[in-house]
Amino acid sequence: MDRSEDEILAGELAALGAVAGGGGRLTGRAAKPMKKNVHEIELVIPVPFDDAVKRAADVLGGAGRAVEPAQIEPGGDRKTIRVVAGGGFGGMNPVVVTALVTRDRENSTAVRLRAAAKEGLIKQRAGEKTAVRLAALLSG
């Protein structure tokens, strides 16, 4: 099942609202019309495809928890890895991070990293900051 970023973010914010005693359901509905801070970064990693997939899975897995099963077994030309990471003040703002890893050349791999977070009244740019942070880890 492939849920949209908005559905995942609404569910994550609802869960935070429920934990905080806010009822949860209202928080999830309120999250849908909120603006989204989205940032995409295109990278070329100078490692073979299977190694790049493993690196992306390790970096994203270290930043958050998988929201959909990642298929990272060898073979194929494209793999998608998606996690929910914490961003913003105190890491409390959920950020959906998606890495599309694509076979490029024999010893290099293209990675499109996309991070999206809902923005409240205080603009934290959690999507942008998370994308930049994880891109640096993937490149290093």
Side-chain angles (χ1 to χ4, degrees):
M1 175 201 271
D2 188 22
R3 297 183 299 157
S4 74
E5 285 173 343
D6 287 329
E7 290 172 330
I8 294 168
L9 290 170
E12 293 293 322
L13 288 169
L16 280 175
V19 168
R25 290 192 344 215
L26 176 61
T27 305
R29 267 185 269 158
K32 288 186 182 181
M34 293 170 67
K35 287 189 178 190
K36 210 168 28 169
N37 174 250
V38 176
H39 195 71
E40 291 188 12
I41 298 175
E42 305 254 346
L43 305 165
V44 175
I45 300 174
V47 298
F49 177 72
D50 290 335
D51 294 339
V53 170
K54 182 177 178 347
R55 181 187 291 182
D58 290 346
V59 167
L60 269 64
R65 64 175 172 74
V67 289
E68 292 160 357
Q71 297 183 359
I72 58 173
E73 63 275 349
D77 289 334
R78 297 175 80 164
K79 301 292 180 193
T80 302
I81 302 161
R82 181 176 268 182
V83 300
V84 174
F89 181 74
M92 294 297 293
N93 191 3
V95 182
V96 175
V97 182
T98 306
L100 176 61
V101 184
T102 306
R103 191 179 305 275
D104 189 27
R105 292 184 205 106
E106 185 176 325
N107 289 317
S108 69
T109 304
V111 178
R112 189 176 83 209
L113 190 65
R114 177 183 170 94
K118 294 289 188 173
E119 290 282 333
L121 293 175
I122 299 171
K123 305 300 180 216
Q124 298 182 45
R125 298 186 343 249
E128 179 181 346
K129 290 176 181 178
T130 302
V132 169
R133 178 174 56 87
L134 294 179
L137 292 172
L138 281 170
S139 297

